[in-house]
Amino acid sequence: METGNVTTPFGRRSMTLGMLANQVMAGEIKPDQSVDKWKLFRALCEAKPLLGIGDRALAVLNALLSFYPKNELAQESGLIVFPSNIQLSLRTHGMAEQTVRRHLAALVEAGLLLRKDSPNGKRYVRRDRAGEINEAFGFSLAPLLARAEEIEQLAAEVMAERLHVQHLRERITLCRRDVAKLIEAAVEEQIPGDWQGLYGEFRDLIEGLPRSPTAAQLELLLHELEVLRADILNRLETRIKSTKQRGNANYIERHIQNSNPESTSELEPSFETKQGAMAEQDKGREAETLEKGRGEVAQSRQEESRQSGGRNDGGGLKSFPLGLVLQACPEILAYGPGGAIRNWRDLMTAAVAVRSMLGVSPSAYEEAANVMGPENAATVMACILERGGHINSAGGYLRGLTRRSEKGEFAIGPMLMALLRANAPAGRKVG
């Protein structure tokens, strides 16, 4: 059992207000609070960018957790582990003891561990005559238990951000393809306009993106590409309306689509070979972009852009308005940031938190998001939460829906309509 509320470090290590704050926080654990240590560790791995810890620090923490005798972290079982650095080195696959000490200090600094140093700085345990632990000196796992909800929320935010970035990349790929092929069509049809200048603007936007862009940079690029696409479409539509060939606009549209049936362009047009005005160095860049773009197009064909309800989503799945989803699944509101859901991103964050609570593995949820699309996967998680009392294994149920969605055998609409009827006021159900 642990004694005392505050402990100071041994030797030359000084006491700080941050250490004291962590100890005070760890002392506020509820008596009945517990959490699965390996489930919490997986959430830590997801949330590591926001916690400021690296892979090797997590390896040391994994070794420390392996010395805790039970799977459930709980105050009543004691939260002190006391392995030596040699034992930690063995369980971190031969990590040098000096490196182990450095990463232990990083975990303490991040507020994930507390030191409970003995009078001589060694780690050991005292037991009573019955063999029960009377007092232990080593590292306390209490901060992990105290911050369990915070860590899971951070993990949900990181996963939602990753899905958001993936969605942005897919939409950018589709927009790039649209812009490139529209310019190619304009050049083939010899429509008057500064198409070379528009193509140069398009290339500047693409090449100005950093190698590892942030979500904000991707959102800005997507907006600029959509504006460029709208400008090109407006020019082409103006040309179509002004042309009275055979008095049939549909004929003109077919003519534009089929005027060059032997074109083999997959992502971007070889514009410089048609105009003869692009620099030779651009040809090499274009070939490299073409090869990279083939993989992006193959992935993006699995899912179309979803900006509003009623469109077809990835795998042919139809998405629905956010308001309708929340009306059918009101329980998901409690898991949104600040207890509210204002947009699709909030719903995706809440869905990841619900996924963790229901025991759905990250791989099952990511597979569902890839097949159905992020918004539809979040909608399905909201429906599973709403029907939680009727579903034995949420993870198995989600994987089953994912497989059905891949085969085109699953639609979200009937599930939402059933929940809407179930949640409707009694007066509306009658008659």
Side-chain angles (χ1 to χ4, degrees), residues 118-353:
S118 65
N120 63 1
K122 301 294 183 180
R123 300 170 206 153
Y124 57 86
V125 63
R126 285 203 182 99
R127 301 180 184 272
D128 57 22
R129 293 184 178 181
E132 297 294 329
I133 295 177
N134 186 34
E135 189 168 20
F137 296 98
F139 290 100
S140 173
L141 303 175
L144 292 178
L145 183 57
R147 300 180 63 185
E149 292 184 5
E150 175 198 351
I151 291 169
E152 290 178 354
Q153 180 64 29
L154 291 176
E157 291 177 7
V158 169
M159 192 168 183
E161 180 73 8
R162 183 166 62 247
L163 291 173
H164 178 57
V165 168
Q166 179 184 350
H167 188 201
L168 286 173
R169 287 184 178 276
E170 291 167 350
R171 290 173 57 195
I172 286 172
T173 298
L174 291 173
C175 201
R176 286 175 61 178
R177 186 179 69 193
D178 292 345
V179 170
K181 286 186 176 290
L182 288 171
I183 292 178
E184 184 179 25
V187 172
E188 290 291 339
E189 294 299 319
Q190 299 181 355
I191 297 175
D194 185 16
W195 301 113
Q196 182 176 347
L198 287 173
Y199 184 81
E201 181 182 346
F202 168 59
R203 292 305 312 158
D204 289 342
L205 288 175
I206 299 303
E207 294 173 2
L209 190 68
R211 178 168 295 184
S212 300
T214 63
Q217 290 171 326
L218 289 174
E219 288 172 353
L220 178 61
L221 174 62
L222 178 61
H223 172 71
E224 292 174 338
L225 285 174
E226 287 176 339
V227 170
L228 181 60
R229 179 176 61 184
D231 181 29
I232 296 171
L233 279 172
N234 183 57
R235 297 187 188 205
L236 294 178
E237 289 172 359
T238 301
R239 176 67 176 179
I240 290 173
K241 291 176 182 178
S242 64
T243 304
K244 300 293 184 180
Q245 187 174 31
R246 298 188 183 179
N248 189 339
N250 290 329
Y251 172 82
I252 298 169
E253 182 179 353
R254 289 195 300 271
H255 178 65
I256 291 177
Q257 292 175 350
N258 300 324
S259 59
N260 187 17
E262 297 181 358
S263 174
T264 59
S265 173
E266 286 292 327
L267 180 66
E268 297 177 10
S270 185
F271 181 83
E272 66 279 7
T273 61
K274 300 178 181 68
Q275 293 293 313
M278 295 297 288
E280 188 67 22
Q281 58 184 0
D282 284 343
K283 294 181 180 180
R285 279 201 306 267
E286 200 62 33
E288 181 181 353
T289 302
L290 176 61
E291 290 299 323
K292 182 179 179 181
R294 290 180 191 273
E296 294 176 346
V297 169
Q299 180 182 6
S300 66
R301 283 172 181 165
Q302 301 297 322
E303 176 180 337
E304 293 186 2
S305 176
R306 298 170 303 281
Q307 294 299 310
S308 62
R311 296 191 190 180
N312 281 336
D313 211 339
L317 209 56
K318 185 177 179 181
S319 59
F320 291 83
L322 179 61
L324 179 65
V325 174
L326 297 180
Q327 186 179 356
C329 309
E331 289 189 19
I332 195 73
L333 290 167
Y335 298 89
I341 293 177
R342 294 168 291 273
N343 49 47
W344 280 107
R345 190 170 180 179
D346 287 350
L347 180 63
M348 287 189 283
T349 299
V352 176

Side-chain angles (χ1 to χ4, degrees), residues 378-394:
T379 300
V380 170
M381 283 307 305
C383 293
I384 291 175
L385 175 66
E386 202 71 25
R387 301 183 57 205
H390 305 282
I391 298 173
N392 294 327
S393 172

